[in-house]
Amino acid sequence: MRGAHWLAWRQQRTLILVATLSLLACTAYVWFRRTEMLSFIAEHHITVCKGWNGPCGSLFTERLLRDNGDPIRALATLSMAFPALIGAFWGAPLIGRELESGTFKLALTQGITPLRWFAARFGLAVLYALLGSTLLAALVAWWWAPISNMLDGPYWYDGYIFNATGPAALACALFGLAAGTAAGLLTRRLLPAMGIAMASVAAVRLALTFVRSDWLPPTVRVTPGIVPKIRVGSAWSTGKFGYIKPSGAEEGVMNCPFSGAELKRCMAEHGYVARFHKVHPSSDFWPLQWIETAILLSLAITLTALTVHWLRTRHV
Amino acid sequence: MTDPTAPMALRATRLGRRFRSGWALRDCEFELPAGRVTALVGPNGAGKSTLLHLATDLLRPTTGELRIFGAAPGTAEARDRTAFLAQDKPLYPRFTVADTLRFGREFNRTWDQATAERIVRAGGIDLPTQVGTLSQGQCTRIALALALGKRPELLLLDEPLADLDPLVRHEVMGLLMAEAAERGITVVMSSHVLSELENVCDYVLLLKHGGVRLVGDTQELRETHALITGRADDGADDGLPPEVDRATVVETALTGRQVTALVREPDLVDRRWLTETPSLEDLLLGYLRSDARPAPRPAHGGPAEEAA
Amino acid sequence: MQTIAFRIDRHSGVAAYQQLVHQVRQALRLGTLEPGDRLPTTKEVVADLAINPHTVLKAYRELEREGLVEPRPGRGTFITRSLARPEAAAGAPLRTELTGWVSRAHATGLDRDDIAAMTEAALDESYGPRPLPPVPVSLAGARSTPHSHPHRHSHPHPHPASSEADT
């Protein structure tokens, strides 16, 4: 390795080593647990069915979900925390520690431009943030897929799964890195920058989770008459139920009791012709993922552009 | 010793730099010739570090410009020719000495590994030692090895002797002078320790309140100034005889019946007054203490104007 | 091996280059430097003394001008002439005579300063008086002790030229 790439490697090799070992350990663990899970499914002839009131409940499925649900959530938590860790331990020191210790004066007064100094080190960090987040997101998805959206197991719209897998998890890692880097630049101190990096990842994640269901209009499921309602299955309920008048007008669910003969009589009294339920089907996973990916990526790019701008028009 | 055709190592034109707290440097005009050892002197906050940071492109000027051998700081040409030793001598604490030298090699087009290693070994430091375990004096040596290994034509040093014990000071200064002797590099160093500059520097740039107060060849400056001492004249407040042009007086001190003054371009030939050439320290102290008077224009043309 | 170890007295008031010239002359008189000896290089001297290289160059130029040394390009600066006077060496008749005279003066109860004053006066008779050096005072001394006589630079200059050039 030559020039700035050598410096990037020399400065980050400890991080790379620690991260690689941790990720390898995770992979081994997941591989072992998933193999065990699959043999349990085969051994007990468990049919995989979707929905939390699916017709597949048995003592074995309960045990399957009990044994695997929490470890999957734990792995998913690691995957969710990864962007914050990247921001705090990789992004914040990138410039923050150099400003704090004064070593930027050493680096920026050598024969290469500040931009190349930054690009090589940030580039390696980007590479590793992508590698790490991809691996973690893939591990979560791989382990979770055989028992996805099943009974009281993890569902695709749970924060654990949605935030821990898919392209948005990768974009979030890049955002964490960019936020940590910019925070280091802003505070010129390592510890505050680490705090800001973690806080900003948490804040953005929370905000996105909070508004997520509003990105796409929900699918309206209509059940004519009083025939049994379509089960919610693996769809994400918006919590909006109700009745439909012949005019197409929607009315609140509280107007009638939920089932049986009373429901039938009540519907006739009000002149309701159908029931509706607004949900996000599991196919909404990908559009929602791409929307959040776009948001997180633009935040990451904006912060990186600001960092580069500062490097070009320096104020020590 | 000043050759008017010699290239200027550093040239400032209306150079100014403003921070939120105000102007650190303002309207600075000066030239520092190549091949000289220049002392950059001034009280704290005079703009010495700001000037060195402007020369290394760690800061950009608010007004005017600074040129290093004619090139703007930050250009590849200026980068290759300049080395900088910051006041806190920053080094990567977790690197070994060998790593630190490799850093210099990887980051500079011109790198003299032999010189750098020689300087390190002369201090009794082993290459596999971790930098974080070294003493302050040893760190200065490593930082200097890094700066000199680059084979710079202009070496900028910000308080290189601060925080060093007298023995290490002497050693570091000796090392610096030896390299200056061997390669003829231009050295600009800021310092508080005026007495240590006496035999080291042959050029001086004195900054005060962000402006240039004095610039020129130390010998010329000393020869164009005089310390006069005599019995105070009762007819004047400052005790100086009436024939002394007050505009040329840098500083006076009245002690009992005796008056002492630092005077620029003296034409006093009064036998009652003892006239002698000031030492560099006398000269610098005089200018550092006096406030209101304008700095002289050195004979060879470098304009030195006081900031308003 | 270095032939001469220079030293600089920073408080003497004598210009550094003159101190170097003086020390070479002294070494030549004492015979510690002899024709053919190589003087240390500029780099060696400045590394040792931490002084400006131009000071050494100037001292060597001065010695060259006096015909005491000769630079040989690429090899160094070499001593060409000795100042050692056989008449002044230990054991020489004049020296023995003087030593005897000093012992007699000592025996009569004269102290060192008395003898120095006598020899100075005798030297003045033969060689003419030395020019008187000015008494240096510094602004620093005046400022730091406002109601007393400034006396920081109390060493008188050996001769007036000393206060001129430094580097």
Side-chain angles (χ1 to χ4, degrees), chain A residues 21-288:
Chain A
L21 288 176
S22 315
L23 291 174
L24 282 176
C26 273
T27 311
Y29 173 73
V30 171
W31 181 83
F32 173 75
R33 290 299 306 263
R34 189 178 180 274
T35 312
E36 202 180 51
M37 179 180 85
L38 290 184
S39 56
F40 185 83
I41 291 172
E43 202 178 308
H44 300 283
H45 311 290
I46 296 170
T47 44
V48 172
C49 58
K50 303 298 170 188
W52 61 278
N53 48 4
C56 54
S58 70
L59 281 175
F60 289 125
T61 34
E62 270 170 35
R63 202 179 130 195
L64 173 71
L65 291 174
R66 199 174 60 237
D67 286 354
N68 290 282
D70 283 345
I72 287 177
R73 287 190 186 94
L75 177 72
T77 306
L78 177 64
S79 177
M80 273 197 291
F82 186 73
L85 294 176
I86 282 277
F89 292 98
W90 219 308
L94 211 57
I95 294 179
R97 179 155 49 205
E98 304 260 346
L99 288 174
E100 189 173 359
S101 65
T103 43
F104 75 102
K105 288 185 197 163
L106 188 67
L108 298 191
T109 53
Q110 304 299 320
I112 71 160
T113 64
L115 214 56
R116 274 190 54 206
W117 167 75
F118 172 71
R121 298 158 72 246
F122 189 70
L124 186 60
V126 164
L127 191 71
Y128 226 80
L130 282 178
L131 272 173
S133 57
T134 306
L135 181 68
L136 282 172
L139 285 178
V140 170
W142 190 50
W143 191 357
W144 167 70
I147 57 164
S148 63
N149 309 331
M150 183 176 164
L151 301 175
D152 58 347
Y155 280 69
W156 65 270
Y157 50 82
D158 284 346
Y160 285 116
I161 301 301
F162 192 92
N163 288 332
T165 54
L170 277 62
C172 193
L174 295 184
F175 164 73
L177 179 65
T181 308
L185 186 59
L186 209 68
T187 60
R188 309 170 65 90
R189 305 271 312 279
L190 181 56
L191 278 176
M194 291 172 82
I196 291 177
M198 291 203 183
S200 53
V201 170
V204 167
R205 263 279 156 77
L206 264 169
L208 285 177
T209 305
F210 188 67
V211 299
R212 183 168 297 142
S213 61
D214 297 335
W215 295 127
L216 291 178
T219 305
V220 184
R221 288 184 173 169
V222 177
T223 315
I226 58 158
V227 296
K229 222 168 43 170
I230 304 168
R231 286 173 190 278
V232 68
S234 55
W236 181 18
S237 172
T238 58
K240 287 173 187 145
F241 305 90
Y243 306 99
I244 300 175
K245 288 212 157 180
S247 64
E250 297 174 354
E251 287 198 7
V253 72
M254 298 311 287
N255 291 351
C256 286
F258 291 144
S259 58
E262 284 174 9
L263 171 66
K264 197 173 168 185
R265 192 170 61 246
C266 179
M267 282 182 72
E269 265 172 29
H270 285 84
Y272 294 145
V273 293
R275 287 175 291 172
F276 73 89
H277 183 197
K278 296 184 177 176
V279 298
H280 288 290
S282 57
S283 59
D284 279 359
F285 176 83
W286 288 106
L288 287 175

Side-chain angles (χ1 to χ4, degrees), chain C residues 40-88:
Chain C
T41 64
T42 307
K43 191 184 168 184
E44 283 163 357
V45 178
V46 300
D48 212 30
L49 298 179
I51 57 170
N52 192 299
H54 291 291
T55 309
V56 185
L57 294 175
K58 192 169 175 180
Y60 283 13
R61 267 203 307 276
E62 174 73 20
L63 289 166
E64 190 190 343
R65 208 176 49 77
E66 290 177 13
L68 296 176
V69 303
E70 175 191 72
R72 295 182 199 155
R75 297 182 51 204
T77 306
F78 290 84
I79 302 289
T80 49
R81 192 154 71 78
S82 174
L83 288 176
R85 305 274 186 96
E87 298 88 345

